[in-house]
């Protein structure tokens, strides 16, 4: 069995929504479009209050290379541009659009029926103007990933359908309901990069998806691989290791070893952009949790507020105690149900009073369970201590920056220490120190 | 939904594994039971009594110190019990009964509570 080291087995909890076909959520009256929905510089708004906009119309100008625009998910009028709740847990500049319900569509993109006639450069440009960013959650701009630096040759493309986060089934439903679009999107990626090897990686708790994609891909040069269900199987570096045996060097990126990983949702979005001429204005979101009355996989316009989706799912059986954007392992707990869906929001998880436990950190008992499960071969307990004591030199020497923030260490810790939280804090401090060191020569 | 809902905000992950300190500690206690049974068979009931005294004084010391320091009392999470058992297993069966009490007190008060 192909595998990576470490990892944990959280309860899967996917049965709530895995049999639920994707259903369209009606676009709401008011939509909230944060200008920053990706990693990198936020775009600059090119519309102003009172402007009439069409569905698919570009709203921002990307600021530099590592930046993508956002588009209007509905036709309507720009109500205002002001700071608003963002799933990252703070207020960020947001374009607020009032939906006129007319669904007028206009786009800079044109549908290209025969995409093989395009050059790789054309596809990269389309990915950028369509606002594509990794939809698995990290939201790294797709066109940047599609343009590896000079001299780096990518030979292997891995389509990520692992969906190792518990509860989430958005990618699974996409694979069942849109396999052709996903496969075309993947072929576009392979064509753009000139890659020979293609893998579709799916965890073995989704046999239906493995079956459908294997049938569709039989006789092609793309292999569907069923991977053991283990968290974080869907993490980029772990997937590459499990599939190719290659390890991304410390501080390196997948292109350093000729690999490219893309989420299935992003592949479908690339297909929509290239073949249908539709920018990224909607995505599938799993709205789930044991207290949700009708958990569902919803096709949602970006900018729809969480509370709208909760009412689409007929509300909850008890007042929600915790609201999480994303899955339970890496998702971010929200302070309000008014936050909007953005490109990287794969799910909304709602926990009741009993499930929403608050941990009480106790002293480390040096059991080393975090060391056993760390998929990056780090020593989480030590890194957390360095962060707690602001010992940044030791943190850096012990490769704190290699942490992928999967949270496996916190998950297993019997002392309930906030290991991954301390390490994330340490990473940002160490990153700042390295940056200022570089600036000072 | 309430008009002004309040949500709990904690860092990820929002799921917890099945390990906890008491579970791990009591697993160790369980593993030490056969040794205790054999010691009692080999050295007679005095071995069992010594162990019980050591365990009781370890847990009592821990609870007392935590009460004085006003920290949460974790005397029954299993770790003090292990300390007591292992201490008794290291003593000859003929030692006077006060000895494991002193040993447990020094181990818990100075070793664990003072220096961690």
């Amino acid at each position: 069995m192909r595998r990576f080291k470490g990892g944990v087995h959280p309860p899967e909890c996917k049965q709530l929504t895995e049999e639920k076909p994707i259903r369209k959520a009606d676009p709401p009256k008011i939509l909230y479009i944060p200008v920053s929905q990706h990693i990198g510089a936020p775009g600059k708004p090119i519309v102003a209050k009172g402007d009439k906009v069409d569905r698919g119309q570009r709203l921002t100008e990307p600021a530099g290379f590592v930046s993508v625009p956002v588009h209007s998910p509905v036709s309507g009028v720009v109500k205002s541009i002001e700071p608003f709740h963002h799933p990252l847990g703070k207020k960020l500049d947001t374009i607020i659009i009032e939906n006129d319900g007319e669904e007028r569509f206009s786009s800079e993109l044109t549908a290209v029926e025969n995409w093989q006639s395009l050059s790789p450069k054309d596809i990269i440009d389309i990915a950028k103007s369509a606002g594509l960013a990794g939809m698995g959650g990290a939201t790294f701009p797709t066109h940047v990933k599609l343009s590896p630096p000079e001299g780096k040759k990518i030979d292997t493309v891995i389509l990520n359908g692992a969906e190792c986060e518990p509860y989430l089934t958005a990618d699974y439903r996409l694979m069942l309901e849109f396999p052709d679009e996903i496969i075309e999107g993947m072929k576009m990626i392979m064509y753009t990069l000139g890659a020979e090897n293609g893998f579709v990686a799916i965890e073995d708790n989704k046999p239906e998806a493995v079956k459908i994609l294997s049938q569709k891909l039989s006789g092609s040069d793309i292999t569907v691989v069923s991977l053991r269900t283990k968290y974080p199987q869907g993490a980029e570096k772990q997937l590459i290791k499990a599939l190719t045996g290659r390890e991304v060097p410390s501080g390196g990126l997948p292109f350093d070893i000729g690999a490219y990983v893309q989420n299935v949702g992003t592949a479908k979005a690339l297909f929509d952009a290239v073949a249908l001429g539709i920018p990224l204005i909607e995505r599938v979101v799993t709205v789930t949790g044991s207290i949700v009355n009708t958990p569902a996989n919803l096709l949602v316009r970006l900018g729809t507020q969480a509370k709208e989706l909760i009412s689409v799912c007929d509300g909850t059986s008890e007042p929600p105690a915790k609201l999480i954007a994303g899955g339970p392992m890496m998702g971010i707990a929200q302070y309000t149900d008014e936050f909007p869906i953005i490109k990287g929001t794969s799910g909304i998880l709602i926990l009741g009073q009993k499930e929403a436990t608050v941990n009480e950190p106790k002293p480390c008992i040096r059991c080393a369970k975090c060391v056993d499960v760390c998929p990056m071969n780090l020593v989480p307990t030590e890194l957390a201590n360095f962060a707690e004591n602001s010992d940044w030199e030791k943190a850096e020497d012990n490769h704190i920056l290699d942490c992928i923030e999967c949270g496996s260490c916190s998950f297993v810790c019997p002392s309930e220490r906030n290991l991954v939280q301390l390490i994330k804090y340490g990473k940002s401090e160490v990153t700042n120190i390295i940056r200022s060191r570089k600036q000072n020569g | 939904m309430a008009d002004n809902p309040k949500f709990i905000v904690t860092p990820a992950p929002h799921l917890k594994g099945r390990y906890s300190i008491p579970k791990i500690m009591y697993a160790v206690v369980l593993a030490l039971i056969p040794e205790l049974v054999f010691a009692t068979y080999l050295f007679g009931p005095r071995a069992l009594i010594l162990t019980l005294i050591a365990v009781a004084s370890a847990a009592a010391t821990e609870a007392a110190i935590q009460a004085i320091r006003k920290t949460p009392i974790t005397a029954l999470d299993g770790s003090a019990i292990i300390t007591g058992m292992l201490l008794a297993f290291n003593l000859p069966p003929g030692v006077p009964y006060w000895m494991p009490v002193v040993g447990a007190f020094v181990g818990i008060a100075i070793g664990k509570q003072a220096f961690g």
Side-chain angles (χ1 to χ4, degrees):
Chain A
M1 199 70 161
R2 304 172 194 226
R3 59 193 304 174
F4 64 94
K5 179 253 164 196
V8 293
H9 298 274
E12 290 167 30
C13 304
K14 291 188 191 270
Q15 72 286 351
L16 290 168
T17 50
E18 63 188 351
E19 300 302 327
K20 304 270 183 77
I22 296 169
R23 100 182 135 104
K24 275 194 175 158
D26 287 334
K29 277 256 143 26
I30 313 273
L31 291 96
Y32 300 82
I33 324 294
V35 297
S36 178
Q37 306 193 19
H38 59 269
I39 292 184
K44 300 206 169 37
I46 51 169
V47 291
K49 186 176 170 174
D51 284 2
K52 224 174 159 187
V53 292
D54 291 342
R55 185 166 68 93
Q57 185 179 328
R58 192 154 59 83
L59 300 176
T60 58
E61 180 65 36
F65 181 58
V66 189
S67 182
V68 286
V70 294
H71 303 78
S72 179
V74 292
S75 63
V77 177
V78 177
K79 257 184 75 183
S80 78
I81 300 175
E82 58 185 70
F84 191 75
H85 308 300
H86 188 284
L88 282 178
K90 48 188 171 188
K91 287 195 171 183
L92 291 173
D93 281 347
T94 300
I95 301 171
I96 303 174
I97 293 175
E98 189 166 357
N99 184 3
D100 61 13
E102 289 173 21
E103 295 283 66
R104 289 182 314 275
F105 181 82
S106 74
S107 171
E108 300 161 6
L109 304 172
T110 40
V112 182
E113 213 161 283
N114 179 21
W115 59 264
Q116 280 91 349
S117 64
L118 298 170
S119 72
K121 171 88 177 46
D122 292 336
I123 294 182
I124 292 171
D125 289 342
I126 294 173
K128 179 162 188 181
S129 18
L132 294 194
M135 290 163 77
T139 58
F140 190 76
T142 305
H143 70 276
V144 180
K145 246 161 103 168
L146 283 171
S147 334
E150 206 67 43
K152 302 277 183 190
K153 167 87 180 92
I154 289 174
D155 57 27
T156 303
V157 169
I158 300 170
L159 197 62
N160 188 353
E163 202 165 49
C164 57
E165 272 274 3
Y167 286 98
L168 303 186
T169 55
D171 289 350
Y172 173 65
R173 291 310 309 184
L174 266 184
M175 289 189 279
L176 292 192
E177 297 177 40
F178 301 96
D180 298 317
E181 289 83 348
I182 291 171
I183 292 168
E184 280 303 292
M186 174 168 188
K187 286 181 178 161
M188 290 172 189
I189 295 169
M190 290 178 68
Y191 167 77
T192 306
L193 296 165
E196 309 92 60
N197 310 318
F199 294 102
V200 181
I202 305 173
E203 280 190 335
D204 58 10
N205 61 351
K206 302 179 232 345
E208 285 300 309
V210 175
K211 204 171 101 192
I212 287 188
L213 287 168
S214 304
Q215 276 168 2
K216 300 265 182 199
L217 286 166
S218 69
S220 81
D221 47 3
I222 299 172
T223 323
V224 178
V225 187
S226 172
L227 294 159
R228 200 165 71 137
T229 302
K230 180 165 89 162
Y231 180 88
Q233 187 62 265
E236 190 166 74
K237 291 166 186 167
Q238 280 57 38
L239 259 189
I240 297 170
K241 170 85 170 109
L243 286 172
T244 67
R246 300 181 206 165
E247 231 170 87
V248 179
S250 172
L253 285 166
F255 61 61
D256 289 322
I257 51 166
Y260 178 98
V261 180
Q262 193 83 67
N263 169 267
V264 290
T266 323
K268 171 163 186 299
L270 181 63
F271 172 85
D272 290 347
V274 174
L276 308 177
I278 305 173
L280 181 50
I281 53 173
E282 58 185 8
R283 66 157 298 141
V284 180
V285 178
T286 304
V287 182
T288 185
S290 63
I291 64 164
V292 179
N293 287 325
T294 319
N297 299 296
L298 301 173
L299 184 62
V300 176
R301 299 288 168 89
L302 300 179
T304 306
Q305 288 180 302
K307 63 177 182 188
E308 308 260 1
L309 298 180
I310 298 170
S311 53
V312 169
C313 292
D314 302 326
T316 52
S317 58
E318 60 170 276
K322 204 187 225 184
L323 201 61
I324 298 160
M329 295 299 286
M330 287 185 75
I332 301 173
Q334 303 292 316
Y335 60 88
T336 168
D337 57 1
E338 293 185 345
F339 73 91
I341 300 301
I342 61 169
K343 291 170 184 174
T345 315
S346 41
I348 300 175
L349 172 60
I350 302 152
L351 299 180
Q353 202 62 51
K354 270 189 211 129
E355 300 160 304
T357 48
V358 179
N359 56 328
E360 284 168 37
K362 291 175 270 293
C364 171
I365 59 167
R366 310 200 74 73
C367 67
K369 285 204 189 304
C370 56
V371 183
D372 293 342
V373 300
C374 179
M376 295 305 289
N377 290 314
L378 300 171
V379 184
T381 175
E382 291 286 300
L383 294 176
N385 287 344
F386 298 145
E388 227 163 10
N389 301 324
S390 306
D391 195 342
W392 306 126
E393 205 171 306
K394 272 200 185 132
E396 189 186 344
D397 288 348
N398 285 278
H399 304 280
I400 195 168
L401 294 181
D402 282 336
C403 168
I404 58 167
E405 307 178 10
C406 68
S408 297
C409 49
S410 295
F411 175 80
V412 293
C413 180
S415 291
E416 302 180 25
R417 298 179 72 212
N418 293 315
L419 295 167
V420 72
Q421 183 198 19
L422 286 164
I423 296 172
K424 279 186 208 171
Y425 161 63
K427 279 175 75 174
S428 69
E429 290 294 315
V430 169
T431 309
N432 288 340
I433 289 168
I434 293 176
R435 194 175 299 143
S436 62
R437 195 191 300 152
K438 271 185 191 153
Q439 273 164 8
N440 301 334
Chain B
M1 196 180 297
D3 286 339
N4 195 4
K6 289 231 176 354
F7 301 116
I8 299 172
V9 178
T10 57
H14 309 285
L15 287 178
K16 203 64 203 87
R18 56 180 196 283
Y19 301 110
S20 67
I21 293 179
K23 264 191 190 165
I24 294 174
M25 294 302 169
Y26 282 108
V28 178
V29 171
L30 196 67
L32 291 174
I33 295 289
E35 292 88 319
L36 180 59
V37 171
F38 188 71
T40 311
Y41 161 76
L42 199 64
F43 302 112
R46 200 182 161 83
L48 180 64
I49 297 165
L50 276 173
T51 310
L52 291 178
I53 291 174
V55 167
S57 31
T61 309
E62 175 136 301
I65 290 174
Q66 285 172 334
I68 293 167
R69 297 175 69 190
K70 296 196 171 59
T71 52
I73 293 179
T74 58
L76 291 178
D77 72 355
S79 59
I81 297 175
I82 295 175
T83 308
M85 286 180 92
L86 290 178
L87 169 66
F89 289 4
N90 280 294
L91 297 173
V95 295
Y97 286 132
W98 57 265
M99 212 173 257
V101 179
V102 175
F105 177 80
V106 171
I108 296 286
I110 297 173
K112 184 177 173 187
Q113 290 293 332
F115 294 103

